[in-house]
Amino acid sequence: MVKKFFIETFGCQMNVLDSEVASARLRRLGYEATPDPDEADVLLLNTCAVRERASDKVFTRIRSIRKLRKQGSLLGVMGCVAQGESDRVLKEAGGVDLVIGTQALERLPELLAEREASARAVADVRTPNLPAFAEITPAERIRPHVAFVTIMEGCDKFCTFCIVPFTRGRERSRSPQRILSELISLREAGYQEVQLLGQNVNSYGRGRRVEGGASHSFAELLELLARESGLPRIKYTTSHPRDFNVEILEVMERHANLCNWIHLPVQSGSDRMLAAMNRGYSSDEYRRKVDLIRASERDYALTGDVIVGFPGETERDFQASLDLVNHAQFDGLYIFNYSSRPGTVAAGWHDGVPPEVKSERFERLRHLHNDIQRQRNARFVGRTLKVLVEGRSTKLQEDFTGHSTCHRVVNFSARQDLSEGRIVDVLVTEAFGHSLYGRLAGTVTG
Ligand code: SAM
Ligand code: SF4
Ligand code: F3S
């Protein structure tokens, strides 16, 4: 009988990519994927520790999945909770057979074999500092049209609220040639879009840990990939405002295949809070970068992240965040209630903003942003956007769905069948809060 594996993924795109790598490794061992945890011989939870709730969810899930698993199966925990809280995973949760840190993914086959050969749980949570860029072939990827490609790992910024430098280690960059050859093989396999991943893509190529010792800046890397990969669409995330610069924008202006989307998390509009967060820029500096983006001839979608209720945040600080969001007119905004994370600098500070105040600020910011987003989306009505067809719409089966180059979800009707993975013109007829609606412009042949 063929052995089966089940993977559940929490957290960011890096975890999505790591789950693809883990799936590829298990398939090479002869396993098949199953969506049913009770059928699986190997169950993996790929975890996120960025907020307390994300981390708690993992422990709840370990307990519930333990009840579902079949006898003799192995349960593994990978990702950022595995890296940061391996002892807690092994002791508190119980029943876990494998703990696979963020650097140990390549050792998954060995760790499985080790666990099968012994009665005791095995853990590999080495310090995540080495360049370890796992590779998978295009055929081993789960999504057929959009591929994630890591360009750098880790983070050296140490924002005082953030656990990521502890779970993903120091910054290290992959060689430009390897990134380019991966993009070319994805294009040859029919991929239309690649999303370049890093916690801090703008600091690509900096520091000592550059694979092969290469020395491209992020702007130079973008130039190389845009010119030589032949891919119709390249997106990237996440940019850090401190390192986002005019060179990056200039490269984007030169290449139509560098998409119209910039994710530039601001975290707060208050200089006092930005300093306490160790973000390395002021509210004015951030505004100037936004103004530069908005002054471009290209119509960029700008998205961001804001934390509300950071320790010491007063109503005045929060007002500054509202003002900044008003200024930036984000096309999309992720809002988070601050949550204390073990090992971070801010964890030692009094988390003095009461939960009800955090929730109230969250709601006020959400309302403001929803209004802005609706207005921003309305500008697309009557315009034709290039949309990558990704499947049928979940709302209406006869409709299609996909993303624009500006990373908007676009649902649309078409009087013909369309194959997934092609880029089509869609005339936008309606705008909603979180998506656009339209119809196929013209007829698609071939
Ligand atoms: N590297 C990115 C940057 O600097 O903007 C962010 C990566 S982090 C995984 C994604 C987002 O989670 C952050 O932008 C921040 O808004 C949020 N976040 C991180 N730590 C948090 C915490 N302790 N509480 C609430 N939100 C947090
Ligand atoms: Fe976390 Fe700050 Fe690094 Fe982003 S830049 S991953 S928020 S420490
Ligand atoms: Fe979460 Fe780790 Fe990503 S903490 S957001 S899965 S880098």
Side-chain angles (χ1 to χ4, degrees):
M1 265 242 306
V2 181
K3 286 194 171 182
K4 296 194 169 155
F5 70 91
F6 165 85
I7 302 189
E8 195 162 279
T9 309
F10 304 86
C12 65
Q13 289 98 327
M14 291 201 182
N15 268 12
V16 175
L17 178 55
D18 284 350
S19 287
E20 282 194 333
V21 172
S23 303
R25 298 295 171 264
L26 289 168
R27 284 203 171 91
R28 284 186 204 171
L29 293 178
Y31 284 79
E32 268 178 12
T34 171
D36 300 316
D38 53 353
E39 271 200 350
D41 300 283
V42 172
L43 301 94
L44 291 177
L45 299 180
N46 191 3
T47 61
C48 171
V50 76
R51 281 167 290 278
E52 193 179 4
R53 198 184 295 170
S55 178
D56 286 349
K57 206 154 74 181
V58 170
F59 289 91
T60 315
R61 187 57 179 146
I62 295 172
R63 282 187 279 273
S64 68
I65 214 160
R66 253 183 353 214
K67 295 184 193 136
L68 296 174
R69 62 193 279 204
K70 71 177 188 190
Q71 241 197 340
S73 63
L74 296 180
L75 175 59
V77 178
M78 54 188 269
C80 292
V81 174
Q83 182 68 43
E85 296 186 272
S86 57
D87 286 348
R88 190 175 160 209
V89 169
L90 286 169
K91 288 195 191 109
E92 193 185 301
V96 173
D97 302 286
L98 296 155
V99 177
I100 307 150
T102 51
Q103 287 289 286
L105 199 48
E106 281 298 288
R107 291 198 61 235
L108 175 59
E110 283 160 76
L111 293 172
L112 261 180
E114 260 180 56
R115 176 62 186 84
E116 277 161 357
S118 88
R120 300 191 50 199
V122 293
D124 187 343
V125 283
R126 68 192 60 198
T127 314
N129 280 342
L130 308 162
F133 299 101
E135 296 218 348
I136 49 176
T137 67
E140 289 171 318
R141 289 174 175 274
I142 294 163
R143 291 174 75 185
H145 314 297
V146 179
F148 295 134
V149 172
T150 310
I151 61 164
M152 49 106 53
E153 286 178 345
C155 181
D156 289 351
K157 293 273 193 288
F158 287 94
C159 301
T160 52
F161 53 81
C162 186
I163 202 166
V164 170
F166 305 96
T167 62
R168 295 273 172 179
R170 297 292 62 72
E171 276 176 10
R172 48 215 183 266
S173 300
R174 193 174 175 199
S175 90
Q177 286 68 32
R178 268 182 72 194
I179 300 170
L180 177 62
S181 68
E182 183 165 1
L183 262 57
I184 290 172
S185 63
L186 287 163
R187 193 244 303 145
E188 285 167 355
Y191 277 83
Q192 301 290 329
E193 181 174 313
V194 157
Q195 292 184 21
L196 309 174
L197 299 186
Q199 287 300 346
N200 238 319
V201 287
N202 314 143
S203 36
Y204 174 82
R206 297 233 180 103
R208 285 177 295 123
R209 296 187 181 84
V210 183
E211 193 188 34
S215 57
H216 280 58
S217 68
F218 180 60
E220 288 162 348
L221 177 74
L222 277 183
E223 176 89 48
L224 174 80
L225 301 179
R227 222 182 33 229
E228 297 193 15
S229 71
L231 274 159
R233 289 180 175 211
I234 300 173
K235 296 179 179 175
Y236 60 88
T237 185
T238 295
S239 286
H240 191 290
R242 192 158 101 193
D243 305 324
F244 187 84
N245 58 29
V246 71
E247 285 80 40
I248 297 171
L249 270 179
E250 282 168 2
V251 176
M252 291 178 78
E253 314 272 291
R254 281 200 291 276
H255 298 280
N257 58 346
L258 297 175
C259 290
N260 295 0
W261 171 46
I262 298 168
H263 184 57
L264 200 62
V266 63
Q267 314 301 358
S268 173
S270 150
D271 286 342
R272 216 170 63 85
M273 290 294 102
L274 288 170
M277 289 172 168
N278 190 31
R279 289 293 287 180
Y281 53 86
S282 68
S283 169
D284 267 355
E285 281 162 347
Y286 186 88
R287 280 165 207 248
R288 281 201 288 277
K289 298 207 175 178
V290 170
D291 294 344
L292 213 59
I293 293 168
R294 295 288 186 224
S296 163
E297 282 190 5
R298 266 169 84 171
D299 183 6
Y300 291 109
L302 175 68
T303 58
D305 297 349
V306 171
I307 294 178
V308 297
F310 187 71
E313 186 190 69
T314 61
E315 175 59 27
R316 206 168 155 183
D317 295 314
F318 176 65
Q319 279 294 339
S321 289
L322 293 175
D323 289 347
L324 187 132
V325 167
N326 249 324
H327 181 94
Q329 296 281 300
F330 289 107
D331 295 275
L333 186 67
Y334 297 95
I335 308 165
F336 303 107
N337 282 349
Y338 168 72
S339 119
S340 169
R341 303 311 296 129
T344 61
V345 171
W349 299 342
H350 176 52
D351 183 2
V353 183
E356 61 280 8
V357 174
K358 279 185 195 161
S359 303
E360 186 254 344
R361 288 181 187 166
F362 182 101
E363 282 306 313
R364 277 158 70 197
L365 184 52
R366 192 171 65 88
H367 270 106
L368 170 66
H369 169 66
N370 284 352
D371 286 346
I372 293 171
Q373 192 174 340
R374 218 169 290 119
Q375 284 166 28
R376 293 284 299 159
N377 275 350
R379 77 190 191 279
F380 291 114
V381 174
R383 276 162 63 172
T384 300
L385 297 181
K386 296 254 176 246
V387 176
L388 172 63
V389 184
E390 286 163 64
R392 293 278 178 180
S393 157
T394 45
K395 289 201 191 103
L396 204 60
Q397 254 308 300
E398 55 270 30
D399 282 354
F400 293 90
T401 191
H403 280 85
S404 62
T405 72
C406 53
H407 215 54
R408 301 284 84 191
V409 172
V410 185
N411 298 309
F412 63 99
S413 62
R415 293 220 181 108
Q416 65 175 103
D417 200 16
L418 291 174
S419 49
E420 287 177 27
R422 62 186 313 161
I423 294 171
V424 298
D425 287 329
V426 173
L427 173 68
V428 178
T429 53
E430 277 179 276
F432 303 101
H434 295 284
S435 63
L436 302 170
Y437 188 79
R439 61 170 182 273
L440 182 71
T443 311
V444 175
T445 49

